[in-house]
Amino acid sequence: MSNLPNIAGCTILQVIPELSAGGAERTVIEMTEAIKEAGGRALVASEGGRLVKDLHAAGGEHFSLQLASKNPVVILRNANRLLDLIREEEIKLIHARSRAPAWSAWRAAQATNTAFVTTYHGAYSGNSTPKKAYNSVMAKGDFVIANSRWIGEHIKQTHNVSEDRIVIIPRGVDFERFNPSSLHSGRIANLRNDWSLIGSDQRLIMLLPARLTEWKGQLLALEALTQLSPEERDSLVLVFVGDAQGRSAYVERLQSFIADHGLVRSIRVAGHCNDMPAAFAAADIVLNPSIRPEAFGRTAAEAAAMERPVIASDHGGAQETVIDGQTGVRFLPGDVQSLSAAIRSLIAIGPEARAGMGKAGRKHVESHFSKRGLQAATLSVYSSLIAQGIARHA
């Protein structure tokens, strides 16, 4: 028997640019599971991607729209298509998770008096008036979900949203999937082989799991390695796991830096990984060196769930997921010397102390960041708004 809020018979639509990889995309799948379990019908509109198969496996239905486009004409066309979808599928609530599709969804929701929820997944950049106006749609939800306390304060300060409309729902970790005790060693061996790390290679492994884009800090991590002594560099390997998502120029910058600074032996650019639990388990230390604040930082929490210490920038959601000195180390954001010092400190304490940090990290995220908690809290938001809508139309 499910202990989730009941939304039996209600159709929920989530909108997102695409279903490729990332925290927001994974949360779409998790909420699809919850909607189905709670008796609802789960629809998703996006441009598609590798996670569509996961969506279908979770019981969701996918509708293909050009929702990644920021072209005003396309946004308006999408709004009209979503308006038709609301009527055709009798949608009770729309949940928007990104700005371009949120503008389309908001227009459609306004036109049909449909409940509208947003999740503010990032501290969007840009201070110009047009940029602020574009970002503002993420604060137009009947309820605005913030995935950390830090992002909740950011929403209040940036958009002057009343506190009663902001709901803090941290992202959740799937503790069945991210469970070190249930991980077969063969999965780790397969990944080490994929990373060209043969069995006799005993170097310490640092993992930086993030899509390849400058603000995620890959270049910063490379610069930090150059601050280590040759002996220190020879003792470790840094693995980048994540999609380039078409950013070929940035990949070329990374590769040029690696070659120019003699780091070829110390770096692996591994691309997308389908087995992140094994990737974390294969690592000794996980890096989360984002230049801009992460609204939450799912990889830090998932790494902790796999009992791995995390080095994270000391801003944004990482201040809630990483306890400095206990579950990992936080460093001055964007500071090469601070990051290299953090790397040195975790190398120096040795494997037993790192293991202790990892166990403390697992305990911390189990207490605060569960997938089940995210699902139940989000469904409560849905249930409340749907009930209000039914009352308005009674």
Side-chain angles (χ1 to χ4, degrees):
M1 178 72 70
S2 172
N3 60 355
L4 296 174
N6 190 313
I7 55 166
C10 295
T11 300
I12 310 295
L13 171 67
Q14 298 179 82
V15 295
I16 194 164
E18 58 184 9
L19 282 174
S20 52
E25 291 82 354
R26 179 54 59 184
T27 305
V28 167
I29 307 302
E30 292 170 350
M31 284 312 303
T32 296
E33 295 172 355
I35 291 164
K36 292 296 292 182
E37 185 179 343
R41 182 179 173 216
L43 313 184
V44 175
S46 82
E47 293 198 4
R50 67 167 61 91
L51 291 179
V52 170
K53 67 179 186 303
D54 292 22
L55 174 74
H56 289 152
E61 303 170 52
H62 186 260
F63 294 83
S64 295
L65 278 77
Q66 287 183 273
L67 288 172
S69 176
K70 298 178 182 179
N71 183 311
V73 175
V74 177
I75 288 173
L76 182 59
R77 185 166 66 235
N78 287 335
N80 292 332
R81 179 67 186 98
L82 289 175
L83 192 152
D84 291 340
L85 199 62
I86 289 169
R87 291 170 173 161
E88 292 165 4
E89 306 297 336
E90 298 183 355
I91 291 165
K92 295 292 186 183
L93 180 145
I94 305 179
H95 189 163
R97 299 182 179 276
S98 186
R99 292 164 292 177
W103 278 111
S104 300
W106 178 70
R107 289 180 65 96
Q110 290 287 102
T112 56
N113 199 26
T114 301
F116 181 61
V117 174
T118 57
T119 291
Y120 212 100
H121 280 284
Y124 306 110
S125 61
N127 293 313
S128 66
T129 299
K131 192 72 170 180
K132 287 181 178 178
Y134 178 63
N135 296 344
S136 70
V137 70
M138 300 309 296
K140 291 182 181 293
D142 298 315
F143 281 116
V144 181
I145 296 173
N147 53 23
S148 66
R149 294 190 302 274
W150 178 82
I151 206 70
E153 288 299 317
H154 174 82
I155 294 167
K156 282 194 286 186
Q157 294 172 12
T158 304
H159 300 290
N160 196 29
V161 177
S162 62
E163 197 160 340
D164 62 348
R165 284 179 51 223
I166 298 173
V167 184
I168 310 297
I169 305 177
R171 284 183 184 168
V173 176
D174 184 343
F175 294 115
E176 292 183 7
R177 181 173 180 235
F178 291 92
N179 183 355
S181 65
S182 65
L183 189 67
H184 192 279
S185 61
R187 289 163 60 187
I188 299 173
N190 288 339
L191 269 184
R192 286 180 58 88
N193 184 63
D194 290 345
W195 298 343
S196 300
L197 297 173
I198 60 175
S200 59
D201 193 332
Q202 297 301 309
R203 287 179 294 172
L204 181 146
I205 298 174
M206 295 194 303
L207 181 73
L208 200 167
R211 62 185 180 275
L212 299 184
T213 182
E214 187 165 359
W215 80 269
K216 288 292 188 178
Q218 288 91 0
L219 271 174
L220 182 72
L222 292 177
E223 290 171 3
L225 287 196
T226 67
Q227 303 302 303
L228 304 179
S229 70
E231 293 77 19
E232 287 172 323
R233 286 198 297 274
D234 286 344
S235 70
L236 60 82
V237 60
L238 172 59
V239 181
F240 294 150
V241 167
D243 273 329
Q245 296 179 327
R247 300 181 186 88
S248 56
Y250 181 62
V251 174
E252 289 174 8
R253 285 179 64 194
L254 294 176
Q255 292 170 338
S256 294
F257 190 102
I258 292 165
D260 293 346
H261 291 81
L263 296 174
V264 173
R265 182 174 179 273
S266 300
I267 305 297
R268 301 290 187 272
V269 182
H272 176 73
C273 177
N274 285 318
D275 192 354
M276 285 309 300
F280 290 126
D284 298 284
I285 298 169
V286 175
L287 301 185
N288 188 354
S290 300
I291 308 300
R292 301 201 311 261
E294 297 270 8
F296 177 74
R298 177 188 285 264
T299 56
E302 290 175 342
M306 292 303 295
E307 299 184 355
R308 292 299 177 263
V310 179
I311 297 174
S313 302
D314 191 11
H315 56 186
Q319 294 177 329
E320 298 165 41
T321 55
V322 179
I323 305 175
D324 190 35
Q326 296 182 37
T327 71
V329 178
R330 300 204 302 259
F331 72 95
L332 187 64
D335 188 283
V336 173
Q337 297 296 334
S338 183
L339 176 54
S340 63
I343 292 170
R344 276 198 182 99
S345 71
L346 283 194
I347 293 173
I349 63 174
E352 288 187 14
R354 289 194 297 269
M357 279 189 163
K359 290 186 182 302
R362 170 84 185 188
K363 186 175 181 180
H364 175 60
V365 296
E366 280 183 329
S367 299
H368 297 91
F369 308 115
S370 73
K371 181 181 83 167
R372 200 62 170 176
L374 173 142
Q375 291 172 325
T378 306
L379 285 176
S380 291
V381 170
Y382 293 173
S383 178
S384 172
L385 285 175
I386 289 169
Q388 292 175 34
I390 292 171
R392 283 200 305 268
H393 294 98

